[in-house]
Amino acid sequence: MNWKHLARGRFLLLILSLTLLLSSCQEKTVNLEFIETSDVHGSLFPWNFLTDTTANHSLASVYSYVKAERAKPDQDVVLLDNGDILQGDPDVYFSNFLQPDSTNIVARVYNFMKYDAATPGNHDIEAGHAVYDKVHSEMHMPWLAANAVCTDNGKPYFQPYTIIEKEGVKIAVLGMITPHIPYWLPEKIWKGMEFHDIIETARKWVKIIQEKEHPDVMIGLFHSGVDYTYGGTTAKTYKNENASALVAEQVPGFDIVFAGHDHREWNKWVTNTDGKKVLIMGPQAHAREFPVAKMKLIYDRSSKSWKKEITSEVKHSKNYQPDPEYMAHFKPFVNEVKKWVNQPVAKLTAGIDTRDAFFGSSSFMGLIHHVQLVQSGADISLSAPTIYNTQLKKGELYVRDMFRLYKYENLLYTMKLSGKEIKGFLEYSYAGWFNTIKSPDDHLIKFRKDKDGNLMENRGNNTYSLARPYFNFDSAGGIRYTVDVRKPAGHRVHIISMSDGTPFRKNQVYKVAVNSYRGNGGGGHLEEGAGILHNELNARRISTTEKDLRFYMMKWLEKQGTYTPKNPNNWKVIPQAWEKKARATDEPMMFGKGNDE
């Protein structure tokens, strides 16, 4: 035996083994996949409870994708939700208010899908303390909102952040909620909390997280939109409603910021103040889309740092079949909701079309104004359509149709406003609704324009974006008036009289019915239009309902048994010939060929 050659071979084998060992120690690869849902608004199941038909988008389809990705052995999935899930469809309303003693369906779905973390949205808070506090206690994952702070001790009402570990990678998720809740919701709904500026809060908690946790990955989960100029605000506006991009740009430390609240698709990169790229992602609403970010991390032990490679895509749930296990698990609940929404409320002697409400007095708004006046005992009603494009046919009206008549769980306020303030309120509304037109060939509806002055077309359906949200197009009941669109904004509304023919006086104080969103300052009508300071709004309130307006509308219709829709014909656009011609052009641009939003 040649001992010299044997020793040499063993030595080479040892060197090779050490080299391979050293190489394996130098680098480690971890593949992470982040999946976000946001603004689901009750779309938990592939069933449209409003139309009693199947739907091609819901969390059931999202879960099919999640399950398949979790089954892959070479990656780890982090599933996140970004709020506004407790409101929007009959299924969540049914669970929130008709089954208060059962585990809330949202908590059940969250737990079944094994979300890693979530944030509450403003519409989750809208459900009230009894609902969202209960859901919070039933969830098996943290609900995050660092900027929702207890008024008594200054600590976050919800958990500010969470740490998730995958394959030795430490992931910090910082949650936030839009701070504009006091402008939309009555105080009793969020009592005990105050809402801080998102940018300031991010700076505070990023520092805390970095010093205490030393995370490898930092994720922002913000129920806040991306366009910080929405509503006329700027990057310097304190407590900006939509601050997700501002945080990504101004607060170093984040790898990905997941946005929500604005119902817009986002998949873009920005550069922060440290010169590093930050990915911003967000979906539209109702589980139609879900952003996916894949992160490949390669750890170099010599430099003790991770190199990150991120790819991103917004997926569409219609491309995935509902998960059979999910559907079987929740089938009994779905059947309960179907039974409830198919209960009759009243009979309609004629159809109702929400489109009419955008061009003048209508039977659709006539119903809302009438119920608001009857329920509140007010002199005047102010309200906008809360649904964009719905037609209800003559015949039986069911519980499900009530959600097509009134979309939100707004309470009803009665407030004190002078005649002058009411006129200012309406001038503000119509300024954002109609253009000043010089001929019948001009657009009556104020559409959104790009920086070059071109109308902005919505993708995929040949319709065009409105300059302001339709739910800010308030008209009035209880008075007779005209809107002269030849005149400039602020000088269009001429109030002729009260509806009964008695004089309308600018100096007289009237009892006015408005929904809680508007009554708390939402849309700017009371502050910018009527000129009332925000801190004076509560003093103007005479009363509030305990339940949502839809509930009272349903009870009123049940009492009638049969309802004949009536157009009060109390206001009109003038010149009427111009309005008629402009409607023929603008209506298809607004609604296309679809029936429901």
Side-chain angles (χ1 to χ4, degrees), residues 187-223:
E187 185 178 357
K188 67 178 182 179
I189 285 176
W190 46 270
K191 189 174 181 180
M193 281 184 275
E194 58 186 30
F195 301 90
H196 292 182
D197 180 81
I198 288 178
I199 303 170
E200 287 183 355
T201 305
R203 287 198 178 101
K204 170 186 174 180
W205 282 100
V206 166
K207 183 178 179 181
I208 292 172
I209 293 168
Q210 289 176 335
E211 292 177 352
K212 181 180 178 181
E213 308 289 353
H214 305 288
D216 303 305
V217 177
M218 180 80 77
I219 303 296
L221 190 62
F222 305 151
H223 189 82

mmCIF file of all heavy atoms in Angstrom, residues 187-223:
data_model
loop_
_atom_site.group_PDB
_atom_site.id
_atom_site.type_symbol
_atom_site.label_atom_id
_atom_site.label_comp_id
_atom_site.label_asym_id
_atom_site.label_seq_id
_atom_site.Cartn_x
_atom_site.Cartn_y
_atom_site.Cartn_z
ATOM 1 N N GLU A 187 -68.279 59.751 17.307
ATOM 2 C CA GLU A 187 -67.282 59.465 18.340
ATOM 3 C C GLU A 187 -67.594 58.213 19.139
ATOM 4 O O GLU A 187 -66.680 57.484 19.543
ATOM 5 C CB GLU A 187 -67.134 60.661 19.285
ATOM 6 C CG GLU A 187 -66.035 60.479 20.313
ATOM 7 C CD GLU A 187 -65.858 61.681 21.220
ATOM 8 O OE1 GLU A 187 -66.573 62.687 21.007
ATOM 9 O OE2 GLU A 187 -65.012 61.611 22.128
ATOM 10 N N LYS A 188 -68.875 57.927 19.363
ATOM 11 C CA LYS A 188 -69.193 56.766 20.184
ATOM 12 C C LYS A 188 -68.692 55.464 19.553
ATOM 13 O O LYS A 188 -68.459 54.476 20.240
ATOM 14 C CB LYS A 188 -70.696 56.679 20.442
ATOM 15 C CG LYS A 188 -71.546 56.381 19.223
ATOM 16 C CD LYS A 188 -73.015 56.258 19.613
ATOM 17 C CE LYS A 188 -73.898 55.899 18.424
ATOM 18 N NZ LYS A 188 -75.321 55.754 18.821
ATOM 19 N N ILE A 189 -68.501 55.480 18.244
ATOM 20 C CA ILE A 189 -68.036 54.288 17.541
ATOM 21 C C ILE A 189 -66.551 54.042 17.799
ATOM 22 O O ILE A 189 -66.105 52.902 17.861
ATOM 23 C CB ILE A 189 -68.343 54.417 16.030
ATOM 24 C CG1 ILE A 189 -69.839 54.182 15.799
ATOM 25 C CG2 ILE A 189 -67.527 53.458 15.186
ATOM 26 C CD1 ILE A 189 -70.286 54.374 14.378
ATOM 27 N N TRP A 190 -65.779 55.112 17.937
ATOM 28 C CA TRP A 190 -64.331 54.971 18.184
ATOM 29 C C TRP A 190 -63.917 55.555 19.537
ATOM 30 O O TRP A 190 -62.737 55.832 19.768
ATOM 31 C CB TRP A 190 -63.522 55.634 17.065
ATOM 32 C CG TRP A 190 -63.997 57.014 16.669
ATOM 33 C CD1 TRP A 190 -64.921 57.325 15.723
ATOM 34 C CD2 TRP A 190 -63.562 58.261 17.228
ATOM 35 N NE1 TRP A 190 -65.108 58.687 15.647
ATOM 36 C CE2 TRP A 190 -64.279 59.286 16.554
ATOM 37 C CE3 TRP A 190 -62.645 58.629 18.212
ATOM 38 C CZ2 TRP A 190 -64.106 60.645 16.849
ATOM 39 C CZ3 TRP A 190 -62.476 59.970 18.511
ATOM 40 C CH2 TRP A 190 -63.200 60.954 17.828
ATOM 41 N N LYS A 191 -64.868 55.671 20.441
ATOM 42 C CA LYS A 191 -64.600 56.265 21.744
ATOM 43 C C LYS A 191 -63.448 55.544 22.445
ATOM 44 O O LYS A 191 -63.346 54.324 22.428
ATOM 45 C CB LYS A 191 -65.846 56.194 22.623
ATOM 46 C CG LYS A 191 -65.716 56.975 23.925
ATOM 47 C CD LYS A 191 -67.035 56.981 24.697
ATOM 48 C CE LYS A 191 -66.890 57.799 25.977
ATOM 49 N NZ LYS A 191 -68.156 57.826 26.741
ATOM 50 N N GLY A 192 -62.571 56.338 23.049
ATOM 51 C CA GLY A 192 -61.417 55.783 23.742
ATOM 52 C C GLY A 192 -60.163 55.761 22.899
ATOM 53 O O GLY A 192 -59.091 55.378 23.385
ATOM 54 N N MET A 193 -60.293 56.195 21.628
ATOM 55 C CA MET A 193 -59.139 56.213 20.730
ATOM 56 C C MET A 193 -58.942 57.595 20.131
ATOM 57 O O MET A 193 -59.898 58.368 19.992
ATOM 58 C CB MET A 193 -59.336 55.224 19.571
ATOM 59 C CG MET A 193 -59.075 53.788 19.887
ATOM 60 S SD MET A 193 -59.238 52.753 18.405
ATOM 61 C CE MET A 193 -61.008 52.454 18.386
ATOM 62 N N GLU A 194 -57.706 57.880 19.757
ATOM 63 C CA GLU A 194 -57.400 59.008 18.898
ATOM 64 C C GLU A 194 -56.444 58.491 17.826
ATOM 65 O O GLU A 194 -55.751 57.489 18.024
ATOM 66 C CB GLU A 194 -56.786 60.162 19.682
ATOM 67 C CG GLU A 194 -55.523 59.825 20.430
ATOM 68 C CD GLU A 194 -55.039 60.978 21.305
ATOM 69 O OE1 GLU A 194 -55.883 61.766 21.775
ATOM 70 O OE2 GLU A 194 -53.817 61.069 21.518
ATOM 71 N N PHE A 195 -56.443 59.165 16.689
ATOM 72 C CA PHE A 195 -55.730 58.636 15.533
ATOM 73 C C PHE A 195 -54.619 59.596 15.135
ATOM 74 O O PHE A 195 -54.873 60.745 14.780
ATOM 75 C CB PHE A 195 -56.714 58.389 14.390
ATOM 76 C CG PHE A 195 -57.807 57.424 14.773
ATOM 77 C CD1 PHE A 195 -59.003 57.891 15.335
ATOM 78 C CD2 PHE A 195 -57.633 56.071 14.617
ATOM 79 C CE1 PHE A 195 -59.998 57.012 15.716
ATOM 80 C CE2 PHE A 195 -58.625 55.174 14.994
ATOM 81 C CZ PHE A 195 -59.812 55.646 15.550
ATOM 82 N N HIS A 196 -53.379 59.107 15.198
ATOM 83 C CA HIS A 196 -52.210 59.942 14.972
ATOM 84 C C HIS A 196 -51.770 59.921 13.508
ATOM 85 O O HIS A 196 -52.140 59.033 12.730
ATOM 86 C CB HIS A 196 -51.062 59.474 15.869
ATOM 87 C CG HIS A 196 -51.302 59.711 17.331
ATOM 88 N ND1 HIS A 196 -50.380 59.400 18.304
ATOM 89 C CD2 HIS A 196 -52.364 60.258 17.995
ATOM 90 C CE1 HIS A 196 -50.861 59.725 19.496
ATOM 91 N NE2 HIS A 196 -52.066 60.242 19.329
ATOM 92 N N ASP A 197 -50.956 60.890 13.169
ATOM 93 C CA ASP A 197 -50.405 61.004 11.822
ATOM 94 C C ASP A 197 -49.600 59.746 11.480
ATOM 95 O O ASP A 197 -48.792 59.255 12.290
ATOM 96 C CB ASP A 197 -49.512 62.238 11.743
ATOM 97 C CG ASP A 197 -48.894 62.426 10.382
ATOM 98 O OD1 ASP A 197 -49.585 62.953 9.486
ATOM 99 O OD2 ASP A 197 -47.724 62.031 10.205
ATOM 100 N N ILE A 198 -49.794 59.228 10.278
ATOM 101 C CA ILE A 198 -49.155 57.971 9.884
ATOM 102 C C ILE A 198 -47.643 58.127 9.739
ATOM 103 O O ILE A 198 -46.872 57.245 10.156
ATOM 104 C CB ILE A 198 -49.785 57.445 8.577
ATOM 105 C CG1 ILE A 198 -51.200 56.933 8.862
ATOM 106 C CG2 ILE A 198 -48.939 56.339 7.953
ATOM 107 C CD1 ILE A 198 -51.937 56.429 7.650
ATOM 108 N N ILE A 199 -47.203 59.222 9.156
ATOM 109 C CA ILE A 199 -45.760 59.406 8.937
ATOM 110 C C ILE A 199 -45.030 59.529 10.265
ATOM 111 O O ILE A 199 -44.001 58.876 10.491
ATOM 112 C CB ILE A 199 -45.498 60.642 8.054
ATOM 113 C CG1 ILE A 199 -46.224 60.506 6.723
ATOM 114 C CG2 ILE A 199 -44.002 60.822 7.812
ATOM 115 C CD1 ILE A 199 -46.216 61.771 5.878
ATOM 116 N N GLU A 200 -45.548 60.367 11.166
ATOM 117 C CA GLU A 200 -44.929 60.516 12.487
ATOM 118 C C GLU A 200 -44.898 59.181 13.230
ATOM 119 O O GLU A 200 -43.892 58.825 13.863
ATOM 120 C CB GLU A 200 -45.706 61.542 13.315
ATOM 121 C CG GLU A 200 -45.501 62.982 12.879
ATOM 122 C CD GLU A 200 -46.230 63.951 13.792
ATOM 123 O OE1 GLU A 200 -46.966 63.484 14.703
ATOM 124 O OE2 GLU A 200 -46.068 65.171 13.604
ATOM 125 N N THR A 201 -46.001 58.444 13.156
ATOM 126 C CA THR A 201 -46.078 57.167 13.858
ATOM 127 C C THR A 201 -45.105 56.157 13.271
ATOM 128 O O THR A 201 -44.471 55.383 14.001
ATOM 129 C CB THR A 201 -47.515 56.611 13.797
ATOM 130 O OG1 THR A 201 -48.433 57.596 14.315
ATOM 131 C CG2 THR A 201 -47.647 55.342 14.618
ATOM 132 N N ALA A 202 -44.960 56.164 11.956
ATOM 133 C CA ALA A 202 -44.021 55.247 11.304
ATOM 134 C C ALA A 202 -42.593 55.524 11.756
ATOM 135 O O ALA A 202 -41.831 54.590 12.057
ATOM 136 C CB ALA A 202 -44.135 55.363 9.787
ATOM 137 N N ARG A 203 -42.220 56.796 11.804
ATOM 138 C CA ARG A 203 -40.864 57.142 12.260
ATOM 139 C C ARG A 203 -40.616 56.626 13.682
ATOM 140 O O ARG A 203 -39.554 56.082 13.989
ATOM 141 C CB ARG A 203 -40.671 58.662 12.206
ATOM 142 C CG ARG A 203 -40.523 59.213 10.801
ATOM 143 C CD ARG A 203 -39.910 60.602 10.837
ATOM 144 N NE ARG A 203 -39.729 61.126 9.495
ATOM 145 C CZ ARG A 203 -40.526 62.009 8.903
ATOM 146 N NH1 ARG A 203 -41.564 62.488 9.560
ATOM 147 N NH2 ARG A 203 -40.283 62.419 7.677
ATOM 148 N N LYS A 204 -41.607 56.828 14.532
ATOM 149 C CA LYS A 204 -41.471 56.401 15.927
ATOM 150 C C LYS A 204 -41.286 54.888 16.028
ATOM 151 O O LYS A 204 -40.351 54.397 16.678
ATOM 152 C CB LYS A 204 -42.708 56.838 16.712
ATOM 153 C CG LYS A 204 -42.784 56.247 18.117
ATOM 154 C CD LYS A 204 -44.102 56.590 18.798
ATOM 155 C CE LYS A 204 -44.238 55.868 20.135
ATOM 156 N NZ LYS A 204 -45.514 56.203 20.809
ATOM 157 N N TRP A 205 -42.157 54.128 15.360
ATOM 158 C CA TRP A 205 -42.163 52.684 15.553
ATOM 159 C C TRP A 205 -41.086 51.967 14.750
ATOM 160 O O TRP A 205 -40.607 50.905 15.162
ATOM 161 C CB TRP A 205 -43.549 52.123 15.258
ATOM 162 C CG TRP A 205 -44.482 52.386 16.416
ATOM 163 C CD1 TRP A 205 -45.416 53.370 16.519
ATOM 164 C CD2 TRP A 205 -44.511 51.671 17.645
ATOM 165 N NE1 TRP A 205 -46.040 53.321 17.737
ATOM 166 C CE2 TRP A 205 -45.502 52.276 18.454
ATOM 167 C CE3 TRP A 205 -43.806 50.591 18.159
ATOM 168 C CZ2 TRP A 205 -45.803 51.822 19.730
ATOM 169 C CZ3 TRP A 205 -44.108 50.135 19.431
ATOM 170 C CH2 TRP A 205 -45.092 50.748 20.205
ATOM 171 N N VAL A 206 -40.679 52.507 13.627
ATOM 172 C CA VAL A 206 -39.560 51.902 12.894
ATOM 173 C C VAL A 206 -38.304 51.936 13.750
ATOM 174 O O VAL A 206 -37.557 50.950 13.834
ATOM 175 C CB VAL A 206 -39.329 52.611 11.543
ATOM 176 C CG1 VAL A 206 -37.977 52.224 10.954
ATOM 177 C CG2 VAL A 206 -40.441 52.255 10.561
ATOM 178 N N LYS A 207 -38.081 53.053 14.415
ATOM 179 C CA LYS A 207 -36.921 53.172 15.300
ATOM 180 C C LYS A 207 -37.004 52.160 16.439
ATOM 181 O O LYS A 207 -36.018 51.472 16.759
ATOM 182 C CB LYS A 207 -36.832 54.590 15.863
ATOM 183 C CG LYS A 207 -35.612 54.827 16.739
ATOM 184 C CD LYS A 207 -35.558 56.271 17.239
ATOM 185 C CE LYS A 207 -34.337 56.498 18.131
ATOM 186 N NZ LYS A 207 -34.295 57.892 18.649
ATOM 187 N N ILE A 208 -38.182 52.046 17.047
ATOM 188 C CA ILE A 208 -38.366 51.096 18.140
ATOM 189 C C ILE A 208 -38.133 49.666 17.663
ATOM 190 O O ILE A 208 -37.427 48.874 18.309
ATOM 191 C CB ILE A 208 -39.787 51.238 18.743
ATOM 192 C CG1 ILE A 208 -39.926 52.577 19.467
ATOM 193 C CG2 ILE A 208 -40.089 50.074 19.694
ATOM 194 C CD1 ILE A 208 -41.340 52.884 19.909
ATOM 195 N N ILE A 209 -38.709 49.338 16.520
ATOM 196 C CA ILE A 209 -38.594 47.972 15.986
ATOM 197 C C ILE A 209 -37.144 47.638 15.661
ATOM 198 O O ILE A 209 -36.646 46.550 15.982
ATOM 199 C CB ILE A 209 -39.499 47.810 14.745
ATOM 200 C CG1 ILE A 209 -40.975 47.892 15.146
ATOM 201 C CG2 ILE A 209 -39.215 46.493 14.037
ATOM 202 C CD1 ILE A 209 -41.918 48.028 13.977
ATOM 203 N N GLN A 210 -36.453 48.584 15.025
ATOM 204 C CA GLN A 210 -35.060 48.321 14.639
ATOM 205 C C GLN A 210 -34.159 48.145 15.856
ATOM 206 O O GLN A 210 -33.297 47.264 15.879
ATOM 207 C CB GLN A 210 -34.552 49.450 13.742
ATOM 208 C CG GLN A 210 -35.173 49.439 12.347
ATOM 209 C CD GLN A 210 -34.735 50.610 11.497
ATOM 210 O OE1 GLN A 210 -34.360 51.668 12.022
ATOM 211 N NE2 GLN A 210 -34.802 50.459 10.181
ATOM 212 N N GLU A 211 -34.381 48.963 16.866
ATOM 213 C CA GLU A 211 -33.536 48.880 18.055
ATOM 214 C C GLU A 211 -33.862 47.660 18.922
ATOM 215 O O GLU A 211 -32.969 47.051 19.512
ATOM 216 C CB GLU A 211 -33.683 50.155 18.891
ATOM 217 C CG GLU A 211 -33.099 51.388 18.218
ATOM 218 C CD GLU A 211 -33.312 52.654 19.033
ATOM 219 O OE1 GLU A 211 -34.052 52.589 20.053
ATOM 220 O OE2 GLU A 211 -32.759 53.709 18.664
ATOM 221 N N LYS A 212 -35.117 47.291 18.984
ATOM 222 C CA LYS A 212 -35.543 46.197 19.864
ATOM 223 C C LYS A 212 -35.517 44.835 19.176
ATOM 224 O O LYS A 212 -35.125 43.829 19.786
ATOM 225 C CB LYS A 212 -36.958 46.475 20.385
ATOM 226 C CG LYS A 212 -37.485 45.421 21.335
ATOM 227 C CD LYS A 212 -38.891 45.775 21.810
ATOM 228 C CE LYS A 212 -39.439 44.695 22.738
ATOM 229 N NZ LYS A 212 -40.810 45.002 23.201
ATOM 230 N N GLU A 213 -35.925 44.787 17.917
ATOM 231 C CA GLU A 213 -36.137 43.504 17.246
ATOM 232 C C GLU A 213 -35.045 43.142 16.238
ATOM 233 O O GLU A 213 -34.871 41.969 15.925
ATOM 234 C CB GLU A 213 -37.498 43.513 16.521
ATOM 235 C CG GLU A 213 -38.677 43.924 17.373
ATOM 236 C CD GLU A 213 -39.051 42.888 18.417
ATOM 237 O OE1 GLU A 213 -38.470 41.783 18.403
ATOM 238 O OE2 GLU A 213 -39.945 43.154 19.247
ATOM 239 N N HIS A 214 -34.358 44.139 15.680
ATOM 240 C CA HIS A 214 -33.334 43.907 14.653
ATOM 241 C C HIS A 214 -33.876 43.014 13.529
ATOM 242 O O HIS A 214 -33.321 41.944 13.250
ATOM 243 C CB HIS A 214 -32.076 43.287 15.269
ATOM 244 C CG HIS A 214 -31.515 44.085 16.403
ATOM 245 N ND1 HIS A 214 -30.866 45.295 16.222
ATOM 246 C CD2 HIS A 214 -31.523 43.854 17.744
ATOM 247 C CE1 HIS A 214 -30.486 45.768 17.389
ATOM 248 N NE2 HIS A 214 -30.876 44.921 18.336
ATOM 249 N N PRO A 215 -34.942 43.427 12.871
ATOM 250 C CA PRO A 215 -35.547 42.570 11.846
ATOM 251 C C PRO A 215 -34.702 42.496 10.575
ATOM 252 O O PRO A 215 -33.914 43.395 10.284
ATOM 253 C CB PRO A 215 -36.875 43.272 11.568
ATOM 254 C CG PRO A 215 -36.595 44.713 11.831
ATOM 255 C CD PRO A 215 -35.639 44.719 12.992
ATOM 256 N N ASP A 216 -34.895 41.409 9.854
ATOM 257 C CA ASP A 216 -34.231 41.251 8.559
ATOM 258 C C ASP A 216 -35.068 41.847 7.431
ATOM 259 O O ASP A 216 -34.532 42.262 6.407
ATOM 260 C CB ASP A 216 -33.994 39.766 8.278
ATOM 261 C CG ASP A 216 -33.182 39.097 9.379
ATOM 262 O OD1 ASP A 216 -32.087 39.604 9.667
ATOM 263 O OD2 ASP A 216 -33.656 38.094 9.943
ATOM 264 N N VAL A 217 -36.384 41.863 7.626
ATOM 265 C CA VAL A 217 -37.320 42.385 6.622
ATOM 266 C C VAL A 217 -38.325 43.276 7.334
ATOM 267 O O VAL A 217 -38.813 42.933 8.415
ATOM 268 C CB VAL A 217 -38.057 41.240 5.890
ATOM 269 C CG1 VAL A 217 -39.082 41.793 4.908
ATOM 270 C CG2 VAL A 217 -37.065 40.324 5.179
ATOM 271 N N MET A 218 -38.642 44.421 6.725
ATOM 272 C CA MET A 218 -39.626 45.344 7.306
ATOM 273 C C MET A 218 -40.766 45.543 6.311
ATOM 274 O O MET A 218 -40.559 45.955 5.169
ATOM 275 C CB MET A 218 -38.995 46.697 7.622
ATOM 276 C CG MET A 218 -39.957 47.701 8.235
ATOM 277 S SD MET A 218 -40.244 47.465 9.996
ATOM 278 C CE MET A 218 -38.738 48.156 10.657
ATOM 279 N N ILE A 219 -41.986 45.242 6.776
ATOM 280 C CA ILE A 219 -43.186 45.355 5.948
ATOM 281 C C ILE A 219 -44.111 46.407 6.549
ATOM 282 O O ILE A 219 -44.381 46.402 7.755
ATOM 283 C CB ILE A 219 -43.942 44.013 5.868
ATOM 284 C CG1 ILE A 219 -43.032 42.909 5.322
ATOM 285 C CG2 ILE A 219 -45.206 44.153 5.015
ATOM 286 C CD1 ILE A 219 -42.556 43.114 3.906
ATOM 287 N N GLY A 220 -44.630 47.305 5.721
ATOM 288 C CA GLY A 220 -45.672 48.231 6.131
ATOM 289 C C GLY A 220 -47.021 47.700 5.683
ATOM 290 O O GLY A 220 -47.187 47.320 4.520
ATOM 291 N N LEU A 221 -47.957 47.620 6.597
ATOM 292 C CA LEU A 221 -49.319 47.164 6.296
ATOM 293 C C LEU A 221 -50.256 48.297 6.696
ATOM 294 O O LEU A 221 -50.676 48.400 7.842
ATOM 295 C CB LEU A 221 -49.621 45.880 7.069
ATOM 296 C CG LEU A 221 -50.900 45.129 6.720
ATOM 297 C CD1 LEU A 221 -50.890 44.647 5.276
ATOM 298 C CD2 LEU A 221 -51.113 43.947 7.667
ATOM 299 N N PHE A 222 -50.563 49.155 5.720
ATOM 300 C CA PHE A 222 -51.231 50.418 6.023
ATOM 301 C C PHE A 222 -52.598 50.495 5.354
ATOM 302 O O PHE A 222 -52.694 50.453 4.116
ATOM 303 C CB PHE A 222 -50.388 51.606 5.543
ATOM 304 C CG PHE A 222 -48.981 51.634 6.080
ATOM 305 C CD1 PHE A 222 -47.956 52.205 5.347
ATOM 306 C CD2 PHE A 222 -48.685 51.096 7.324
ATOM 307 C CE1 PHE A 222 -46.660 52.232 5.830
ATOM 308 C CE2 PHE A 222 -47.392 51.115 7.829
ATOM 309 C CZ PHE A 222 -46.370 51.689 7.081
ATOM 310 N N HIS A 223 -53.642 50.613 6.185
ATOM 311 C CA HIS A 223 -54.961 50.888 5.602
ATOM 312 C C HIS A 223 -55.026 52.383 5.302
ATOM 313 O O HIS A 223 -55.655 53.178 6.002
ATOM 314 C CB HIS A 223 -56.102 50.471 6.526
ATOM 315 C CG HIS A 223 -57.433 50.562 5.836
ATOM 316 N ND1 HIS A 223 -57.903 49.563 5.008
ATOM 317 C CD2 HIS A 223 -58.355 51.549 5.781
ATOM 318 C CE1 HIS A 223 -59.061 49.928 4.499
ATOM 319 N NE2 HIS A 223 -59.358 51.135 4.952
#
